[in-house]
């Protein structure tokens, strides 16, 4: 019999440098009311000596400490990221940093006999890592545990539509048999993928072209098409949930009605809300007679033909034609989206959004887009929020919805473990956000454009630092592009040899 496998713990690290979006709206002449409703309240920026590896290591170290994990039992340590600076190594760098810190504290390091894969597919890399960690544990006969850390830097050019949705941070997830937080029901997990040429990309041509090295680090601005990316997100989410529901025996609308919570990939606040409402309306249109009648009432209230809106939701939109015809701003659900807007304003729509997305929603308003870490961050925020608000989630069904541009999606149903309160108490999401340093307009511009800014305070919360980048190309010793790391002051003991990583 396949053992129960899932999540037993979570830990979060975000840099201290914070941009208040109310201030940003004033600096840029944007509407604060719109920004707060659609995006959030603030986002974080990495410091001059931080990158995905230092943030990931900080999250993993916190996870080990907060849950008193025996490093010798960690046989699988995966990194999910789309901001790596090396095409050869990744998770092993995180392991090296963590081990250096553990040894400096007089503790045992993570065992040598540990798998260290890295997963990449835009914002879905961490979810793929979690699924494969669960599969690893299902076949593991020992009492081994797995850690998957998602770490990313979301940066956009100043003046672009993506600018207010920036962010940086990492979330580490502990997986084991007989989980204490969430049991993952992978037998019902739904998958969807399709190739989207110009959705959201990071082509290597930027390395030799427009990609800039500032303060020794790469500024990783993506090539993206905002409206088209939103269309891809909605389309992939619908298909992944459709695949998941096809694997279940319960009727679809009923499953969605009884969900106690849902956590979606969250580039910004409004995006997952539209996806959830579209998914529910699709399943009303395909449901029982009562469901279809409810869908018809909602559609007719907007003057939309229910048959036309239902047909749109049931069919697969031709997104490739939008690329060929250069119509990336076209609405792929012209009849269904007005129905979504009407349903959002209804009492039933508001109830669904609050029930599914209420947990952790306020906490997530102050974290920004974390790419691969966005979904696990929301799960961490939501489970901690449920504990603080004394919400009864014992054995409740929840839905995890991951997405990666380009595109691919994963819909994973989960059940809350009976011991979830003990595990949630150790997450420390709110604590991880403490000590934020609000940037001035000049500091934000300098940190964004040049990688450093005058007057930034040294953060005692930073655990690892990027010390320097090598420049030797040939001879007896070559280290061009190799990144050297050190423990930050908070962890530093005696003199130590640098940790190297090529990039």
């Amino acid at each position: 019999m396949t053992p129960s496998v899932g999540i037993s713990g979570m830990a979060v690290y975000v840099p201290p440098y914070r941009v208040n979006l109310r201030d940003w709206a004033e600096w840029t002449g944007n509407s604060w009311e719109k920004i707060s409703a659609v995006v959030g309240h603030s986002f974080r920026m990495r410091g001059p000596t931080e990158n995905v590896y230092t943030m990931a290591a900080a999250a993993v170290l916190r996870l080990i400490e907060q849950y008193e994990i025996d490093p010798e039992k960690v046989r699988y340590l995966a990194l999910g990221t789309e901001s790596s600076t090396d095409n050869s190594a990744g998770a092993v760098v995180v392991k090296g940093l963590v081990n250096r810190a553990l040894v400096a504290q007089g503790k045992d390091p993570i065992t040598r006999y540990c798998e260290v894969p890295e997963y990449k597919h835009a914002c879905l890399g961490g979810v793929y890592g979690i699924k494969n960690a669960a599969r690893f544990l299902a076949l593991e006969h020992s009492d081994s545990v797995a850690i998957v850390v998602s770490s990313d830097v979301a940066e956009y050019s100043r003046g672009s539509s993506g600018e207010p949705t920036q962010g940086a941070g990492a979330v580490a997830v502990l997986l084991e048999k007989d989980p204490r937080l969430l049991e993952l029901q992978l037998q019902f997990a739904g998958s969807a993928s399709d190739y989207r040429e110009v959705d959201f990309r990071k082509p290597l041509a930027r390395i030799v072209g427009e990609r800039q090295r500032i303060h020794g680090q790469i500024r990783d601005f993506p090539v993206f098409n905002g409206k088209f990316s939103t269309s891809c997100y909605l389309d992939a989410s619908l298909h992944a949930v459709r695949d998941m529901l096809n694997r279940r025996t319960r009727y679809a609308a009923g499953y969605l009605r009884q969900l106690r919570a849902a956590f979606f990939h969250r580039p910004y606040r409004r995006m997952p809300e539209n996806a959830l409402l579209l998914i529910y309306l699709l399943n009303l249109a395909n449901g029982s007679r009562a469901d279809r009648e409810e869908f018809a009432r909602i559609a007719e209230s907007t003057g939309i033909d229910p048959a036309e809106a239902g047909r749109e939701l049931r069919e697969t939109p031709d997104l490739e034609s939008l690329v060929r015809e250069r119509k990336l701003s076209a609405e792929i659900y012209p009849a269904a989206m007005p129905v979504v807007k009407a349903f959002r304003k209804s009492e039933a729509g508001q109830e669904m959004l609050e029930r599914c997305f209420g947990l952790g929603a306020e906490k997530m308003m102050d974290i920004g887009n974390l790419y691969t870490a966005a979904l696990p961050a929301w799960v961490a925020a939501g489970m901690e929020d449920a504990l603080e608000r004394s919400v009864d989630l014992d054995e409740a069904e929840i839905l995890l919805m991951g997405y990666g541009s380009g595109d691919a999606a994963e819909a994973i149903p989960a059940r809350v473990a009976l011991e979830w309160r003990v595990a949630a108490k150790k997450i420390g999401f709110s604590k991880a956000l403490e000590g934020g340093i609000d940037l001035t307009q000049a500091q934000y511009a300098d940190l964004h454009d040049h990688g450093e800014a005058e007057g930034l305070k040294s953060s005692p919360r930073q655990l690892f630092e990027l010390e320097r980048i090598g420049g030797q190309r040939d001879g007896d010793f070559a280290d061009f592009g190799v990144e050297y790391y050190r423990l930050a002051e908070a962890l530093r003991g005696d003199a130590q040899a640098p940790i190297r990583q090529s990039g």
Side-chain angles (χ1 to χ4, degrees):
M1 181 177 178
T2 303
S4 169
V5 177
I7 297 172
S8 284
M10 309 185 80
V12 180
Y13 174 82
V14 294
Y17 307 115
R18 179 173 60 201
V19 174
N20 185 309
L21 281 171
R22 182 189 287 272
D23 294 338
W24 178 89
E26 183 177 340
W27 303 337
T28 59
N30 282 274
S31 166
W32 162 241
E33 289 74 18
K34 181 178 180 181
I35 289 295
S36 61
V38 176
V39 180
H41 298 158
S42 66
F43 63 82
R44 298 299 176 109
M45 298 182 70
R46 64 171 170 184
T49 60
E50 292 184 297
N51 65 10
V52 293
Y53 307 116
T54 64
M55 294 189 299
V60 171
L61 187 62
R62 284 183 176 178
L63 185 76
I64 291 173
E65 293 173 346
Q66 290 166 197
Y67 290 88
E68 300 179 332
I69 301 169
D70 180 356
E72 280 290 322
K73 292 184 178 180
V74 180
R75 299 294 298 270
Y76 187 99
L77 173 63
L79 170 65
T81 186
E82 61 172 272
S83 308
S84 55
T85 54
D86 191 289
N87 282 332
S88 176
V92 72
V93 180
V94 177
K95 180 188 176 187
L97 287 166
V98 171
N99 280 352
R100 182 62 57 82
L102 290 172
V103 171
Q105 295 173 344
K107 301 175 182 177
D108 292 332
I110 294 173
T111 177
R112 180 71 179 268
Y113 307 106
C114 177
E115 294 185 24
V116 284
E118 179 178 330
Y119 292 91
K120 181 186 76 173
H121 184 88
C123 300
L124 197 59
V127 175
Y128 281 154
I130 288 171
K131 284 190 71 175
N132 282 287
R135 291 164 175 156
F136 167 85
L137 290 172
L139 297 175
E140 182 71 13
H141 297 298
S142 69
D143 59 351
S144 301
V145 302
I147 294 176
V148 177
V149 59
S150 300
S151 182
D152 262 312
V153 177
E155 296 177 313
Y156 293 86
S157 300
R158 288 200 293 140
S160 70
S161 61
E163 185 183 0
T165 68
Q166 296 179 104
V171 180
V173 177
L174 169 65
L175 293 103
E176 60 183 6
K177 298 172 186 175
D178 298 321
R180 290 167 283 168
L181 194 64
L182 298 175
E183 176 190 345
L184 301 178
Q185 300 175 331
L186 293 187
Q187 69 272 31
F188 299 126
S191 300
S193 61
D194 207 353
Y195 174 50
R196 310 298 187 197
E197 291 92 336
V198 293
D199 170 8
F200 174 104
R201 302 293 294 274
K202 293 184 175 180
L204 290 175
R206 294 166 307 142
I207 293 177
V208 295
E210 299 176 1
R211 200 169 180 180
Q212 304 174 54
R213 282 188 179 271
I214 303 295
H215 197 64
Q217 296 199 54
I218 295 172
R219 318 313 284 182
D220 205 12
F221 303 147
V223 176
F224 72 101
N225 294 276
K227 174 61 177 176
F228 185 66
S229 290
T230 299
S231 297
C232 292
Y233 176 96
L234 295 175
D235 175 64
S237 298
L238 281 173
H239 281 81
V241 173
R242 180 180 296 169
D243 185 40
M244 180 199 73
L245 293 173
N246 286 339
R247 295 169 181 265
R248 302 181 65 94
T249 57
R250 301 181 193 179
Y251 62 100
Y255 168 78
L256 295 170
R257 287 193 191 99
Q258 58 83 46
L259 277 178
R260 297 292 298 280
F263 302 104
F264 281 37
H265 172 57
R266 184 183 171 120
Y268 54 87
R269 179 183 183 181
R270 184 60 58 83
M271 204 165 179
E273 294 180 355
N274 285 339
L276 177 67
L277 297 179
L278 266 177
I279 290 166
Y280 181 65
L281 291 174
L282 167 63
N283 288 285
L284 282 183
N286 287 344
S288 65
R289 180 176 179 179
D291 290 337
R292 296 194 301 272
E293 289 175 350
E294 180 183 350
F295 178 77
R297 286 194 298 271
I298 300 169
E300 288 167 354
S301 71
T302 67
I304 297 292
D305 179 3
E308 176 62 18
R311 180 193 61 77
E312 274 187 3
L313 290 171
R314 282 187 287 268
E315 294 182 352
T316 298
D318 185 3
L319 292 172
E320 288 189 5
S321 69
L322 299 184
V323 177
R324 291 194 304 270
E325 298 169 13
R326 303 292 179 91
K327 295 181 179 179
L328 300 184
S329 296
E331 176 59 69
I332 61 173
Y333 299 114
M337 285 309 295
V339 183
V340 168
K341 293 178 181 178
F343 184 55
R344 177 192 298 279
K345 297 176 182 178
S346 70
E347 183 177 341
Q350 287 296 307
E351 184 278 331
M352 170 164 278
L353 289 176
E354 175 58 30
R355 171 171 50 83
C356 291
F357 287 164
L359 292 178
E362 192 62 30
K363 293 174 183 282
M364 289 297 291
M365 297 285 274
D366 287 304
I367 201 167
N369 186 5
L370 302 186
Y371 284 167
T372 56
L375 172 57
W378 196 357
V379 176
M383 298 306 293
E384 181 178 275
D385 191 23
L387 178 68
E388 294 170 349
R389 291 161 53 183
S390 299
V391 177
D392 183 6
L393 290 180
D394 292 3
E395 297 189 306
E397 290 199 69
I398 68 171
L399 174 62
L400 310 181
M401 180 73 219
Y403 172 77
S405 297
D407 62 38
E410 291 287 328
I412 305 175
R415 187 183 302 278
V416 180
L418 287 174
E419 300 178 61
W420 73 270
R421 292 174 182 83
V422 177
K425 190 175 182 179
K426 299 178 182 180
I427 291 173
F429 184 95
S430 296
K431 186 177 181 180
L433 268 63
E434 292 176 356
I437 301 171
D438 287 319
L439 300 177
T440 66
Q441 183 176 5
Q443 286 175 325
Y444 164 60
D446 286 343
L447 187 59
H448 183 283
D449 296 349
H450 306 298
E452 55 185 345
E454 185 176 353
L456 291 188
K457 300 176 183 178
S458 176
S459 171
R461 301 180 70 89
Q462 187 172 340
L463 303 181
F464 304 94
E465 296 176 338
L466 173 61
E467 183 178 20
R468 64 185 179 87
I469 298 177
Q472 185 70 33
R473 288 180 178 271
D474 48 31
D476 294 334
F477 180 83
D479 69 348
F480 182 77
V482 172
E483 296 166 346
Y484 292 81
Y485 297 91
R486 65 183 179 187
L487 303 184
E489 186 175 350
L491 293 174
R492 199 173 301 156
D494 297 329
Q496 56 188 295
I499 300 171
R500 297 194 300 272
Q501 162 68 4
S502 61

